[in-house]
Each structure stands twice: as structure tokens, then as C-alpha cells.
Amino acid sequence: MKHFIVILLLSSLVSLNAQVSFANQSNIVGITQGTGVVSMGGGISFVDYDGDGWDDITLGTGDGQSIQFYKNYDGFFVQESLLPIDLNFQNKAINWVDFDNDGDKDLFVTSQTDGNRLFERLSDNSLVDVTISAGFVTENMYTFGASWGDINNDGCLDVYLSNYKDGTTITNYLYQSNCDGTFTEVTDMVGLTNEVALTFCSGFFDFNNDGWQDLYIANDKIYQNRLYKNNGDGTFADISESSGTDFIIDAMSVTIDDFNSDGYLDIFMTNTPNNEATTIGSTVLLKNNGDETFTNISESSGAQLNSWSWGASFFDSENDGDLDLYVSCSYDGSGGFPSYGFYENLGFEIFQNSETAGFDNSISSYSTAIGDTNNDGLVDVIVNNNNHAPLVWNNLTITNNNYIKLKLVGTLSNRDAIGSKIEISINDNSQFRYIMCGEGYLSQNSLVQTFGVGENINIDYIKVTWLSGTEDIMYNVDSNQSITLVEGSTLSVNNFEENITLKYQNPVNDFIEIETSDIIENYVLFNNLGKHITKNPVLKKRLKLDLSYLPSGIYFCKLKFNSNQFRTLKFMIL
């Protein structure tokens, strides 16, 4: 009874500000073409692929249809042709990712029928197929998901391929970047169990806040899900059992976010309603306990959907400062199984299933992604359906709540800022976001992070922790604006491990001398735009650099130590 009263009270408080309202406006915004019949759905990307500040939409398609690219013109979408070849077969994950750190978005496409493809964007904005030269194979590996991360914090993105083909010996593969535009398959070398499994989706994230990206793998049917902890030395350890994440369910999606704003990332998995291998027959929400363990709070939280669910996304639907949840289903609503799920976050780790938000979905849906079609600060949802036009759920919620939008640009870290953690704080209350690429079922969410801040008009601070170890912080930020934050532009402090002492002068004139307590293996010198100036080996504890040839400005020096730690310092040349 007390639990019911709490939910009723929280629900009434939510309704005082805004009634969440969505409407399918695919016809209005120009996305009317179906994506064909695709076995277990096609992929979706809601990412600004041309850098004009508007989230574009890319859709995976079925046999006989080309990938659909929709450029966003002020909230309206126009289909365009971008590829030099026609990938008119079944396409799964669609990832726009700057794999070569040159400032533009390249394209990675997976397929479970015809192999994967990597396209590099050239200076004239054309895309060229570099699959083979980059080190990938073109043979079919039955790939569904592609998850990008930086496993060794070297500033170059690696990719984990989730492969699925029942009745075969196909396994998953990790391709590590060589930082020269090529990749090497290192699955066994880094300690990832290269065993037969049926994997739809995986996700790189930092579950224990140690600055290294870990990996969670969602498997289907009889295969156990796995959590791999990054040891910080280029290898992983399987902690699935000790962490409480070793579920055996029909897992389709790895949807990761901090739903309760405690600073630790949580995991949501979609599932089927009936599973012979386990008594769990609905979606699963795992709460991160902050001690390298997770607790299944699916039932107590109310975030359980008993249907055949696939894609899922956390987002703040009404900008009230907490994360709600949308789930796609391949059922059409008949037979007693829901066709979707929308759960409003009521706080206190409780969700309420809402059927009044306008999500009138009675068709077979799969991948789901979030972005902002019209840059109004309200997050929209797009869903790729089977043999039907996509659903563009535009957020029409009328509210007095405010927002802040953040786009991150890495300089020492990877350019897309994947693996970066964002914290905003208002009156000692914090929210957190974590940048991922390839999260959810065959999905890629907007790389621009939207925070709802309620009726607050000022944010006390915004703090970004990058994979390089750099920390940027901005104070007293006005709400209702979009900010592009470049790594190092608001550097608050140079962060070093306690066992590494470092001395250097700042600002400098012609030379900079750096002394450390650990042996410096090598260094990379950058300017404020992220351009590499020089990279050299050192192998000693003292480094003296001649900077007399450089103009005045802000510069960064990324140090790699023999202990395999990376640290970054910022200095100014006068």
C-alpha cells in the first residue's frame, strides 16, 4: 500500500508541470518510404553526419533497397544518395563515426547477409570504400551490432562486432585501431572469450568509473551475457558472475545510462516474453551498486515489459531532469502483448508505464534512436519498422522546463568524444551522461547530449571527463542553449595519479621542461585544434621540448608512461 501511495503522489506531481506528448510526424517531416522486409529489423542512426548542427537520419534496409540517408533541413528531411556503391542487401547497424580523427564522419555498415563495409569520408565529402585496406574482411560474419570504444585510451577508436548465426561456429571479434587508419583483430590477445554465442548487441562503457572502458555483451537464447572489466593494460577480465550480470535470457539490446543519477552507469536489456532457459520473461533493469556489482531491480522499479522487445532508449521526455524509457516491440499489440513500452521516471528508482504519451504503435518495430529533429531542446524518437515506413515520434510536450545541449569535440581523446562522461550540477543535484556509439539494438543515438534542467535557468557547473584523463569544467552556464565544448578549452586541472609526480613551468617561452617520477615512454604534442605537431619516444623521466618555432597559443602534451598510464598537461606559449 505504501508503495502504491508513493507512485500515486509522484505521478500527480509530474502531471503538474507537463503532460508528455508525442506524435508520429513521419509524413510531415518527409520520411515516408518503407525500409523493406529485414529479418529481425534494420538499423538506425540519428546522428548529424554532415556537421551542420542538425541531427540527420540513416536507415538500414532490406533486400533490393538501398540504405536511406535523410539530410535534416531545419526539421525537415530530404533523402540523398551518398555511397559510391549500392548496398542493396539487408543492412543492420549504421554507425557514423570519425574513426580516423580527421574531423568528419565516416560510415560503418554491418550486414548479416553480405558482410560489413567501412567508408572513409574524403576532403571533398565523398565516401570511399576502405574496408579491405583498413583491415576488415568482406566475407559475411553475420554481424548485427557494432560498438565503438577506445580500450587503451590512445585516442583511436576500436570496434567490437556482435555476430549472430544459429547453427554455426561464428564468434564475435574485437578490431583494435593502429592509429593509422587500419585495424588489427585482437579478440583473443586482449582476453575476450572468443566462444560461440548468438550476440545482437554489446556496449563499451565505464561501469566502475576508473577511466577505462569496459564491455558488456548481450547474448540470445542459451548463451550467458558477459561483463568484461578493462584491466587498464590492454586486457580484459571476465567478471560476469561476480558482478551479477551473467544472465541467460533472449537479450537483444544493451541500453546503458545513469537512470538514477548516482554517477554509476546502469544496464537495461530487452527480452522475449517466454524463455525456456530461464524464468525471466520480460525486460531486465540492472542497477549499478557502485562496488562492481549490479542488482536486478526490474520488478521493484516497474520497468518491466512482457513482450517481444528489441530497441530501447533512455531520454528525458519532458526535461524535468530524469531519464524516461522507450522500448520497441515486434508485436503489433494483438494477443495480449504490448507493441511498445513508455515508462516515465518518477524518481526514487520507480518508473510508471504510461499509455497516454501518444505512442500509438501497432506495427512491428525494432531499432530505436533518439535525437532532436528541430533543435527545440525536446528529445524526439525514431523507430525503424519491418515492411513499413519509420515512425518519427516528434516531442510535442508543452512545458516550462528548460534544457542544455552539449556537443563534445575531442582533441587528445577520440574526435567523437566516445567514452567521455558529462556531469551537470544544479543546487548540489547532479545528472550524468556517457557518450557511446553503437548502443542499443542496431542503433546510434545523437552524439549531442540533451539534459533537462526543470525550471532552472542557470547551471552551477558542467564537467566533462575525457578518456585522455583531461577534465574540462564550465561554471554558471545559462540554460536553453547548445554548447560545443572542445577538449582542453576549459581545462580545470591537470589530473595525475598520486604515484606520478610532475613538474613543469607554465606559461612558457621557447622551451618547456617536464620532470616526472615515472619513465616517459613517448609523448604527443597537440595544438588547441587537436592537430598533431610532433610525436617522439623518450624513455626517461625528464623531457625538454624546443617550442621556439611555434606561435603563441594553447598547447597540450600527452604523455605515455612505462606503467601504461596516459596523462595530459596544458600549457600556454607566450
Side-chain angles (χ1 to χ4, degrees):
M1 176 63 72
K2 290 182 178 180
H3 187 68
F4 173 77
I5 294 173
V6 169
I7 293 178
L8 185 64
L9 177 60
L10 291 173
S11 179
S12 63
L13 290 174
V14 169
S15 64
L16 291 176
N17 191 316
Q19 173 61 50
V20 177
S21 176
F22 285 80
N24 177 27
Q25 296 190 341
S26 55
N27 288 333
I28 296 175
V29 301
I31 301 180
T32 60
Q33 182 180 348
T35 53
V37 178
V38 188
S39 175
M40 293 182 281
I44 186 170
S45 170
F46 207 162
V47 164
D48 176 13
Y49 58 65
D50 56 5
D52 65 354
W54 295 83
D55 286 330
D56 307 301
I57 293 173
T58 311
L59 301 168
T61 52
D63 289 328
Q65 294 195 39
S66 303
I67 295 176
Q68 296 177 11
F69 301 95
Y70 288 94
K71 177 175 170 56
N72 190 339
Y73 290 94
D74 298 345
F76 298 91
F77 295 85
V78 176
Q79 192 170 356
E80 59 181 351
S81 178
L82 296 179
L83 292 180
I85 57 177
D86 192 7
L87 303 184
N88 57 352
F89 44 76
Q90 291 193 36
N91 297 288
K92 291 299 180 184
I94 310 286
N95 296 154
W96 286 101
V97 56
D98 189 355
F99 81 93
D100 52 4
N101 286 328
D102 64 351
D104 53 36
K105 292 289 184 290
D106 311 295
L107 178 65
F108 190 73
V109 181
T110 72
S111 173
Q112 91 282 23
T113 61
D114 288 75
N116 308 320
R117 298 291 187 276
L118 175 64
F119 297 89
E120 180 185 359
R121 190 187 292 273
L122 303 181
S123 57
D124 61 359
N125 281 328
S126 63
L127 291 167
V128 58
D129 189 342
V130 295
T131 309
I132 296 176
S133 62
F136 295 99
V137 299
T138 57
E139 290 80 12
N140 186 20
M141 293 195 294
Y142 307 97
T143 304
F144 275 69
S147 301
W148 295 81
D150 183 356
I151 67 168
N152 57 356
N153 292 3
D154 63 356
C156 305
L157 288 173
D158 316 302
V159 61
Y160 187 79
L161 302 182
S162 300
N163 301 324
Y164 186 111
K165 179 62 176 178
D166 206 357
T168 69
T169 58
I170 192 70
T171 62
N172 301 327
Y173 295 101
L174 173 66
Y175 282 83
Q176 186 171 356
S177 174
N178 301 314
C179 291
D180 59 0
T182 67
F183 294 79
T184 301
E185 193 268 304
V186 296
T187 316
D188 290 326
M189 188 183 307
V190 301
L192 297 177
T193 304
N194 200 0
E195 63 182 9
V196 174
L198 298 175
T199 309
F200 283 123
C201 182
S202 306
F204 284 106
F205 73 124
D206 185 0
F207 85 98
N208 56 359
N209 291 338
D210 66 352
W212 298 93
Q213 288 202 285
D214 313 294
L215 178 66
Y216 192 66
I217 301 171
N219 293 318
D220 194 12
K221 298 187 177 179
I222 63 173
Y223 299 99
Q224 171 190 302
N225 291 355
R226 294 192 179 275
L227 176 60
Y228 288 97
K229 177 182 176 180
N230 192 325
N231 295 320
D233 60 1
T235 66
F236 291 84
D238 187 345
I239 61 165
S240 310
E241 183 176 356
S242 65
S243 64
T245 60
D246 55 339
F247 284 76
I248 298 177
I249 60 174
D250 293 334
M252 283 80 153
S253 178
V254 175
T255 301
I256 292 172
D257 229 315
D258 182 7
F259 82 92
N260 57 358
S261 296
D262 65 353
Y264 290 91
L265 294 168
D266 311 295
I267 304 172
F268 180 80
M269 290 177 286
T270 51
N271 192 14
T272 55
N274 297 302
N275 187 330
E276 296 178 357
T278 177
T279 58
I280 298 176
S282 60
T283 54
V284 176
L285 177 59
L286 299 181
K287 173 188 171 183
N288 191 330
N289 299 317
D291 59 359
E292 299 196 354
T293 68
F294 290 77
T295 300
N296 181 4
I297 63 166
S298 308
E299 185 175 358
S300 64
S301 69
Q304 274 189 315
L305 180 62
N306 185 42
S307 187
W308 203 303
S309 52
W310 295 84
S313 298
F314 283 109
F315 66 103
D316 189 347
S317 62
E318 69 273 65
N319 286 340
D320 63 349
D322 55 37
L323 291 172
D324 310 303
L325 177 65
Y326 181 87
V327 185
S328 289
C329 299
S330 57
Y331 283 131
D332 61 6
S334 61
F337 294 105
S339 60
Y340 75 95
F342 175 65
Y343 299 88
E344 288 194 66
N345 192 332
L346 304 182
F348 300 97
E349 300 179 358
I350 297 174
F351 288 86
Q352 181 182 49
N353 189 7
S354 172
E355 298 180 355
T356 62
F359 294 108
D360 185 17
N361 180 5
S362 59
I363 54 181
S364 185
S365 301
Y366 289 88
S367 55
T368 300
I370 58 171
D372 189 350
T373 60
N374 52 9
N375 279 344
D376 65 351
L378 290 169
V379 177
D380 309 301
V381 181
I382 184 167
V383 177
N384 200 355
N385 303 307
N386 204 13
N387 201 26
H388 194 281
L391 299 169
V392 181
W393 296 112
N394 268 352
N395 193 335
L396 306 179
T397 303
I398 299 175
T399 177
N400 294 323
N401 291 331
N402 302 311
Y403 67 90
I404 190 73
K405 296 176 68 171
L406 294 172
K407 176 185 177 182
L408 304 184
V409 179
T411 53
L412 305 176
S413 306
N414 65 86
R415 192 65 174 245
D416 286 332
I418 294 167
S420 299
K421 184 177 182 179
I422 306 171
E423 177 187 356
I424 73 167
S425 182
I426 302 172
N427 299 325
D428 293 327
N429 295 313
S430 293
Q431 296 182 54
F432 302 87
R433 297 285 191 278
Y434 190 80
I435 310 295
M436 299 180 68
C437 179
E439 68 274 33
Y441 179 72
L442 305 181
S443 303
Q444 183 184 18
N445 295 322
S446 173
L447 291 173
V448 176
Q449 302 299 304
T450 301
F451 291 81
V453 298
E455 296 186 358
N456 295 287
I457 61 174
N458 185 263
I459 300 162
D460 293 336
Y461 67 80
I462 299 172
K463 181 168 64 176
V464 178
T465 304
W466 309 76
L467 280 182
S468 67
T470 304
E471 182 183 274
D472 281 288
I473 192 163
M474 302 173 62
Y475 294 98
N476 299 319
V477 180
D478 292 333
S479 60
N480 294 333
Q481 63 170 319
S482 297
I483 297 174
T484 297
L485 181 60
V486 178
E487 182 179 8
S489 61
T490 58
L491 199 65
S492 61
V493 65
N494 292 312
N495 292 324
F496 298 93
E497 295 290 340
E498 292 181 359
N499 61 341
I500 296 179
T501 59
L502 182 144
K503 298 179 181 179
Y504 72 102
Q505 73 275 19
N506 189 26
V508 302
N509 290 315
D510 292 337
F511 295 90
I512 183 171
E513 294 188 52
I514 304 169
E515 292 185 38
T516 75
S517 59
D518 195 3
I519 294 176
I520 304 171
E521 184 175 311
N522 60 54
Y523 74 91
V524 184
L525 189 65
F526 297 83
N527 64 16
N528 199 38
L529 298 177
K531 181 180 178 181
H532 290 208
I533 298 172
T534 183
K535 177 179 181 179
N536 287 299
V538 181
L539 296 179
K540 52 187 177 181
K541 295 182 179 180
R542 176 174 292 186
L543 174 64
K544 183 175 182 179
L545 300 180
D546 181 2
L547 307 175
S548 59
Y549 64 98
L550 294 175
S552 299
I554 296 174
Y555 294 84
F556 303 90
C557 187
K558 183 176 182 179
L559 305 172
K560 180 182 180 182
F561 296 94
N562 267 8
S563 56
N564 204 37
Q565 297 185 70
F566 294 86
R567 292 297 175 264
T568 303
L569 59 90
K570 175 183 179 182
F571 58 91
M572 179 180 294
I573 297 179
L574 299 180

